[in-house]
Amino acid sequence: MHDDTVRLTAPAKLTLSLHITGVRSDGLHLLDAEMVSIDLADELTFSPGTGISVEDDVAGGLGVGRVPVGAHNLVARALEAVGRRAAVRLRKRIPAGAGLGGGSSDAAAVLRWAGVSDLDTALRLGSDVPFCVRGGRARVRGVGEVVDALAFEPRAFFVLLCPLSVDTASVYAAYDERARRDGHDRDAPGGDGDADASGNHLEAAALEVEPALARWRDRLGAHTGRRPRLAGSGSAWFVECEPGELPDAASEPEVLETEDGRGVVMAARTVSGADASPRGQATA
């Protein structure tokens, strides 16, 4: 690697709990969530020049078809936000539309590369970007701009990446419609009526937007014997496990199937900061 080339990793974000506490006058939802960084990570290489190239390294051949190109790419938007130029090679391991914050973490890596830690700049790029700039473990509130660090805990998970992509805006719209339909006040803390066993107020709405999610939830549940939780607005599901249950890095990917196709169960551990060595392994 040349002296003027920099490589950073962009860890996925796992939302362990997500409660909607209200809605602002501009329609943005207020939340209270616990988020952690995990060692499933994209990798960005910065070098002199311009342009963004994307290398598809998503496990199981799930692809990067929903990663936008050009000016809409979050890496490009982040470069513009900090007034910097670079040729960026993006090695994608986090699938788009999985609720794992892959694009937000990529944008956060650009901010770290540029030496920008301002959370207002991060928030303008997306509600998950402030957390991804800080990384580790945090309580996240407001519309994502309040990031209170929590003590690091070494935790382990099985994360199911399935061949579905869920649009976050559609899930929030379905959440609002459920609140109106069920007669709940979405502006009131706890007024969602969806505080299910997962601790994720968006889960029921995501299942309405993409009913096939239920089949993947049940498949992972049967595979692990545990109740899966939805990652943010989906489509990834996860269960927590003991660290000793994770396989070694040489393990072959474990593939699960439903009538919707093939998914991959990834082994993941929490990491203590926003830059982490990528793991990207899969397991039974």
Side-chain angles (χ1 to χ4, degrees), residues 2 76 131 147 153 190 260:
H2 297 100
F131 168 75
V147 181
E153 296 177 341
D260 307 294

Side-chain angles (χ1 to χ4, degrees), residues 137-260:
R137 173 174 174 247
R139 181 184 182 188
V140 179
R141 290 174 292 157
V143 294
E145 80 281 11
V146 181
V147 181
D148 296 322
L150 298 173
F152 173 72
E153 296 177 341
R155 299 168 74 171
F157 307 91
F158 294 136
V159 182
L160 173 61
L161 308 180
C162 55
L164 301 174
S165 183
V166 179
D167 179 67
T168 299
S170 297
V171 172
Y172 274 103
Y175 171 88
D176 289 340
E177 178 57 32
R178 286 175 60 83
R180 287 190 288 267
R181 185 175 67 228
D182 297 339
H184 297 294
D185 179 5
R186 70 174 189 168
D187 296 340
D192 55 274
D194 290 330
D196 52 43
S198 75
N200 181 349
H201 285 182
L202 293 178
E203 183 172 302
L207 287 165
E208 283 194 2
V209 170
E210 181 48 84
L213 284 172
R215 288 191 285 272
W216 290 104
R217 175 199 61 202
D218 296 345
R219 186 70 181 87
L220 181 62
H223 186 68
T224 62
R226 296 174 171 93
R227 199 278 190 199
R229 290 178 274 171
L230 189 67
S233 58
S235 61
W237 294 93
F238 69 96
V239 298
E240 188 161 6
C241 62
E242 295 299 323
E245 295 181 64
L246 296 184
D248 60 44
S251 298
E252 291 296 319
E254 176 72 13
V255 175
L256 300 184
E257 297 187 23
T258 73
E259 62 190 73
D260 307 294

Side-chain angles (χ1 to χ4, degrees), residues 25-111:
S25 59
D26 60 5
L28 293 178
H29 294 76
L30 301 169
L31 57 86
D32 190 342
E34 180 183 356
M35 299 180 182
V36 294
S37 299
I38 59 174
D39 57 1
L40 170 64
D42 290 344
E43 184 177 276
L44 292 85
T45 302
F46 300 85
S47 57
T50 59
I52 300 169
S53 61
V54 181
E55 178 182 344
D56 185 353
D57 198 22
V58 179
L62 297 177
V64 294
R66 291 189 72 252
V67 176
V69 296
H72 295 292
N73 185 286
L74 269 169
V75 170
R77 290 177 53 202
L79 287 168
E80 182 179 6
V82 298
R84 299 285 295 273
R85 297 174 60 186
V88 182
R89 181 169 59 84
L90 172 59
R91 188 175 184 183
K92 286 294 296 180
R93 296 188 180 96
I94 308 169
L100 298 173
S104 295
S105 192
D106 296 340
V110 174
L111 300 189

Side-chain angles (χ1 to χ4, degrees), residues 120-133:
D120 288 336
T121 301
L123 185 65
R124 287 195 291 272
L125 293 167
S127 61
D128 286 334
V129 181
F131 168 75
C132 292
V133 167

